[in-house]
Amino acid sequence: MATFSPKTTIFYITTLLLITTVPQSKAALNANYYSQTCPQAEKIILQTVYNASIFDPKVPARLLRMFFHDCFIRGCDASVLLDSTAENQAEKDGPPNLSLAAFYVIDDAKAKLEVACPQTVSCADVVAIAARDVVTISGGPYWNVLKGRKDGRVSKASETVNLPAPTFNMSQLVQSFSNRGLGIKDLVALSGGHTLGFSHCSSFESRLRNFSVSHDIDPSLSVEFAQQLRQKCPKPNNDITAGQFLDSTSSSFDNDYYKRLIQGKAVFGSDQALAGDLRTKSIVESFASDQSLFFREFAASMVKLGNVGVIENGEVRVKCRVAN
């Protein structure tokens, strides 16, 4: 959901879009799943996530995006955590995931859980709980995470092409979310996770120069904001770390993201599309004017996202980077 690696935009432009369907799960998840077997699980995860976020302010955005990227590929099965091998390039090494860079936080939490209650808490549940925790500690809503997911054994970098790209138009966004059992309101609400996001120039610089035959700059982009982005992303640009936060309160989970969409100040074209389409415009406006409404809908959509593709025949990995 937020930052993209310097290679991402080129990857999406040159790769044929492959859409896969990841259905909503029928597996029974339960908010109290570990109440008897590992009652301290959520406390351990929260403390680990909180400490990591204090040390590195980029952790919240990365863990929230990790959950989204995990669930959109093969469902919420922690496949994004598996390391590549000599025989297979895993999801984490796919272009959209090269900047996640917070896997160590999940590793740390899992190691502590293995001491407290061995072979009990799945890595998929750790990712889901951590995503909730980074939202809450950043000022966003709290919700009860349904638990009981199992970990998958398959992870392929080639499948990351199916993640929504920052260049997607509305039809592509709606179709991508629909294939995961998520509706238009879910699309707008979950996009609000970009309130914690940062993007490298490569993911949006196509909007700043030579946008089309008739427009040098994307006409949906505020001219003033476009000039600011041009200064941060000059041509030529040798700084691969250069980029832009996706809203003006990057460390706080709030509704500023939606206010900026209305002002034409979305960094991604896919985000700006939400404010210009009749299917989503009124939802954007309602979230921009009512933060509590956004919080409620975001929490509900995160629970729904957490149900995508949950598997019943997986395992509980001892180490999140490798299958048992």
Side-chain angles (χ1 to χ4, degrees):
M1 292 177 70
T3 66
F4 290 79
S5 72
K7 298 180 180 178
T8 304
T9 301
I10 295 175
F11 180 86
Y12 281 118
I13 291 174
T14 58
T15 305
L16 177 65
L17 175 64
L18 303 174
I19 298 292
T20 58
T21 299
V22 183
Q24 284 280 327
S25 171
K26 296 181 181 179
L29 301 181
N30 190 320
N32 301 312
Y33 188 83
Y34 298 113
S35 60
Q36 299 299 318
T37 57
C38 193
Q40 65 272 55
E42 293 198 51
K43 181 178 179 181
I44 290 172
I45 296 168
L46 172 59
Q47 191 63 57
T48 304
V49 167
Y50 177 79
N51 290 341
S53 300
I54 294 297
F55 178 75
D56 181 0
K58 295 179 182 178
V59 163
R62 287 169 170 169
L63 290 182
L64 179 57
R65 182 167 166 255
M66 184 185 295
F67 175 63
F68 184 91
H69 282 208
D70 181 42
C71 294
F72 255 62
I73 304 296
R74 295 185 169 268
C76 307
D77 67 345
S79 55
V80 74
L81 303 180
L82 288 170
D83 280 343
S84 295
T85 64
E87 296 78 28
N88 176 67
Q89 188 177 38
E91 288 173 34
K92 63 170 56 173
D93 291 319
N97 290 334
L98 292 178
S99 57
L100 285 179
F103 297 107
Y104 71 93
V105 182
I106 303 299
D107 291 339
D108 189 15
K110 178 61 173 173
K112 293 173 182 175
L113 289 167
E114 284 301 306
V115 172
C117 31
Q119 300 181 12
T120 301
V121 182
S122 69
C123 298
D125 278 346
V126 175
V127 173
I129 294 167
R132 186 272 314 280
D133 289 345
V134 295
V135 169
T136 303
I137 66 178
S138 300
Y142 177 92
W143 62 93
N144 286 320
V145 175
L146 303 182
K147 296 170 282 290
R149 297 168 186 79
K150 293 296 186 287
D151 300 326
R153 302 179 181 88
V154 177
S155 181
K156 297 182 179 297
S158 59
E159 294 180 352
T160 61
V161 69
N162 296 308
L163 290 166
T167 55
F168 269 21
N169 60 36
M170 272 300 301
S171 296
Q172 291 171 310
L173 288 171
V174 170
Q175 185 64 58
S176 180
F177 276 67
S178 176
N179 288 341
R180 278 84 181 174
L182 301 169
I184 288 178
K185 185 181 289 186
D186 300 309
L187 163 61
V188 181
L190 291 171
S191 295
H194 283 170
T195 183
L196 298 179
F198 176 89
S199 173
H200 293 111
C201 294
S202 60
S203 293
F204 60 84
E205 59 189 357
S206 63
R207 304 182 69 202
L208 307 180
R209 300 173 182 86
N210 303 314
F211 178 73
S212 67
V213 174
S214 55
H215 295 94
D216 185 34
I217 297 172
D218 182 346
S220 68
L221 187 61
S222 159
V223 175
E224 177 187 6
F225 188 53
Q227 294 304 324
Q228 294 174 15
L229 294 178
R230 279 186 166 192
Q231 291 177 7
K232 292 189 175 183
C233 303
K235 283 291 189 180
N237 182 13
N238 297 320
D239 182 5
I240 63 172
T241 66
Q244 172 67 31
F245 288 104
L246 303 185
D247 83 359
S248 60
T249 57
S250 59
S251 62
S252 298
F253 193 96
D254 55 26
N255 67 339
D256 182 66
Y257 162 83
Y258 297 102
K259 296 176 183 179
R260 294 179 69 80
L261 297 192
I262 294 172
Q263 297 167 0
K265 295 181 178 180
V267 175
F268 294 152
S270 57
D271 285 343
Q272 193 61 61
L274 300 176
D277 191 280
L278 292 177
R279 290 169 289 183
T280 51
K281 182 179 180 180
S282 62
I283 305 175
V284 169
E285 292 172 344
S286 65
F287 289 170
S289 63
D290 189 343
Q291 181 167 279
S292 62
L293 173 64
F294 162 50
F295 280 10
R296 291 194 299 273
E297 295 295 349
F298 181 83
S301 292
M302 285 291 281
V303 172
K304 194 172 178 182
L305 174 61
N307 285 327
V308 172
V310 175
I311 58 177
E312 299 182 74
N313 60 345
E315 62 186 16
V316 175
R317 292 183 212 143
V318 176
K319 294 184 178 180
C320 293
R321 292 175 177 267
V322 294
N324 290 342

